[in-house]
Amino acid sequence: MKANFDIVVAGAGPAGLAAAHAAASGGLSVAVIDDNPRAGGQIWRQGPHAKKPAALSRMLGDLIRNPNVTSYQATRISLLADAREMIVDCAEHGGMSISFARLVIATGARERLLPFDGWTLPGVTGAGGLQALIKGGMPVRGERVVLAGSGPLLIAALATARAAGARVLAVVEQAPWRAVLPFGLSLAATPSKLGQALRLTRGFTDTRYWTGSVLTRALGNERVEGAIIRRGGRDITLACDRIAGGYGLVPNVALAQMAGCALASGAVAVDEGQRTSVQNVWAAGECTGIGGTELARVEGRIAGLAASGQAVSASDVRERERWRRFARRAAHAFELGASARAWPSAETIVCRCEDVAFGDVAAHASWREAKLQTRCGMGPCQGRVCGAALETYFGWDAALPRPPLVPMRIGALLQAREHDDARL
Ligand SMILES: Cc1cc2nc3c(=O)[nH]c(=O)nc-3n(C[C@H](O)[C@H](O)[C@H](O)COP(=O)(O)OP(=O)(O)OC[C@H]3O[C@@H](n4cnc5c(N)ncnc54)[C@H](O)[C@@H]3O)c2cc1C
């Protein structure tokens, strides 16, 4: 199948939906493409155990009613044939070639998972991963959970796990009190964030919030049975059924890299109108820097307006600046300290796809050399997990993604090629 649109928006999270909404208001044809079965991205992830937020319902309602907008869910963008054409694998239509005049990239972020002894045991997930599993219907009622890592996502995961009936034993935060407290007080400057924090931490008093602490080991044989936490120079052991964690988020820049967009500090570089270094490509949301849902939405709106040739209002620009200031405060408060960046043991698996131990990778001087010699980052996830960890430990830049970006069914690839002579 082949399709053609004025504007394609990659990603249906808050940024992508806002971009599609703004772009379609200019009368152009717009396609929104997302790999999840339902729109919403990470924070508005839909599922049997997730209530649809009002903001998402409103936005989706508007988009569904707009005849200029086509939505492709459960559709992975696997490769860009060139700056005006992409190949996707769609659950409904199979392999498709989609061409466009302009592209808005809103591919969001990923969790930064740093390996520790035992992290490959069943029962260990990312904090956002645990949320996704719970929203998707996984039961955790009565389970003892330890959340560990850094940043506000741990608090969001705490609220989700508690609402699903789990007993969260501790939230282990690597940042020290002297950083977390001023950040908490600064929320007064953003009342919506303060309200969100109060809602998420309601009934929090019986949960330990251990700052300046790191989880160093998961215990267990067949699955997780406990966690060892380094706190104040001593090790504390907690018996638990589940560990979920993550050290903040990293921008998901793979599609933008494939489009040839320049990066700055690991995020897609954009100008005032959210335009990237590639002439017909705009970017918005967490692929351009971690900043939360409000920033993602206003950036999406600006990108959608700019990409469709409409004027951007001064109030949108001011709002973006306000949320960028909030993002800078959060980044400063939860900056990774030495204990979080400490290397795991040489035996710890760092690449879960290819079973490569940290010591084998650390023996090499670059990401490329480590890949060639150890197969680290060459499994199905293509370094999406270990790449961020190795960047944290060694400062290695993630390699340019190779097509296909995400695993694609061969039948779908052939199907897309039947209708298209794209360079595959
Ligand atoms: C795992 C996780 C959980 C989170 N949970 C929370 C939370 O509970 N509360 C909170 O305040 N913030 C949460 N965040 C932060 C949240 O991501 C942002 O606040 C906000 O959702 C960013 O919006 P966005 O539109 O930039 O990206 P996202 O919401 O991440 O949307 C990007 C979308 O693009 C899709 N995509 C990416 N690549 C492709 C591709 N090649 N083909 C097709 N589709 C693609 C993704 O699947 C996703 O649906 C979470 C982040 C992560 C990574």
Side-chain angles (χ1 to χ4, degrees):
M1 193 172 152
K2 202 164 162 53
N4 178 49
F5 298 92
D6 295 319
I7 298 184
V8 163
V9 178
L17 292 175
H21 198 269
S25 67
L28 301 181
S29 63
V30 177
V32 192
I33 302 176
D34 193 281
D35 52 3
N36 284 303
R38 296 189 214 170
Q42 298 296 355
I43 185 170
W44 292 336
R45 179 178 288 277
Q46 299 188 61
H49 288 196
K51 211 170 131 221
K52 201 193 267 182
L56 175 62
S57 300
R58 268 196 309 276
M59 217 177 244
L60 286 181
D62 287 350
L63 290 176
I64 288 164
R65 280 190 295 275
N66 191 325
N68 294 332
V69 180
T70 306
S71 172
Y72 295 102
Q73 288 299 144
T75 303
R76 289 171 161 180
I77 302 171
S78 294
L79 59 98
L80 286 175
D82 59 37
R84 293 181 192 276
E85 185 165 27
M86 58 174 57
I87 304 295
V88 306
D89 186 354
C90 172
E92 189 181 347
H93 305 291
M96 287 178 70
S97 153
I98 297 183
S99 50
F100 49 87
R102 292 157 191 205
L103 174 64
V104 179
I105 298 179
T107 46
R110 299 198 176 102
E111 295 190 85
R112 187 201 311 267
L113 303 177
L114 298 179
F116 48 85
D117 284 343
W119 78 305
T120 52
L121 281 170
V124 181
T125 62
L130 177 64
Q131 283 185 301
L133 288 166
I134 293 174
K135 289 178 184 176
M138 185 182 78
V140 292
R141 183 160 299 282
E143 287 190 352
R144 298 160 303 170
V145 178
V146 172
L147 296 166
S150 194
L153 187 52
L154 295 182
I155 305 299
L158 163 71
T160 306
R162 284 173 59 108
R167 248 179 78 207
V168 180
L169 302 182
V171 178
V172 182
E173 167 59 62
Q174 63 85 35
W177 252 120
R178 64 176 179 282
V180 176
L181 186 60
F183 175 72
L185 295 174
S186 77
L187 290 179
T190 47
S192 62
K193 286 285 179 198
L194 182 63
Q196 193 186 3
L198 292 175
R199 265 196 316 281
L200 292 176
T201 54
R202 195 174 293 143
F204 184 85
T205 41
D206 63 343
T207 302
R208 304 154 174 127
Y209 186 65
W210 284 341
T211 52
S213 310
V214 286
L215 190 147
T216 54
R217 191 164 177 194
L219 304 170
N221 293 312
E222 298 296 309
R223 59 167 294 121
V224 171
E225 291 167 15
I228 297 186
I229 292 143
R230 180 133 273 257
R231 174 172 164 75
R234 65 192 184 95
D235 285 339
I236 300 170
T237 303
L238 294 178
C240 63
D241 308 301
R242 218 169 257 291
I243 294 172
Y247 289 83
L249 303 174
V250 285
N252 176 6
V253 294
L255 183 63
Q257 279 181 298
M258 190 171 259
C261 303
L263 304 186
S265 307
V268 185
V270 288
D271 68 9
E272 281 300 290
Q274 300 294 135
R275 193 185 215 140
T276 71
S277 61
V278 177
Q279 208 252 336
N280 68 326
V281 182
W282 283 254
E286 293 204 315
C287 62
T288 66
I290 305 308
T293 184
E294 293 86 352
L295 181 59
R297 283 178 72 174
V298 68
E299 285 181 348
R301 191 159 61 237
I302 292 173
L305 291 171
S308 57
Q310 302 179 75
V312 173
S313 73
S315 72
D316 277 344
V317 172
R318 276 197 304 276
E319 192 184 337
R320 180 179 60 187
E321 192 41 48
R322 173 164 172 251
W323 291 115
R324 280 186 176 162
R325 282 198 297 276
F326 170 80
R328 285 194 288 273
R329 287 201 297 274
H332 178 67
F334 296 102
E335 199 175 354
L336 296 194
S339 56
R341 289 174 177 272
W343 291 4
S345 70
E347 300 74 39
T348 301
I349 295 291
V350 62
C351 169
R352 295 183 300 187
C353 299
E354 296 288 320
D355 268 353
V356 184
F358 181 77
D360 294 335
V361 174
H364 298 283
S366 70
W367 176 231
R368 179 178 158 75
E369 194 182 310
K371 271 180 102 168
L372 289 175
Q373 301 295 332
T374 68
R375 290 198 52 78
C376 178
M378 292 176 77
C381 101
Q382 286 289 295
R384 279 194 279 277
V385 176
C386 60
L390 296 175
E391 194 272 331
T392 305
Y393 296 131
F394 306 126
W396 291 349
D397 279 340
L400 278 175
R402 300 178 65 166
L405 267 186
V406 281
M408 186 174 185
R409 293 172 297 164
I410 289 182
L413 194 56
L414 292 172
Q415 196 182 354
R417 194 160 164 63
E418 267 173 32
H419 302 279
D420 194 89
D421 62 355
R423 282 175 285 113
L424 302 181

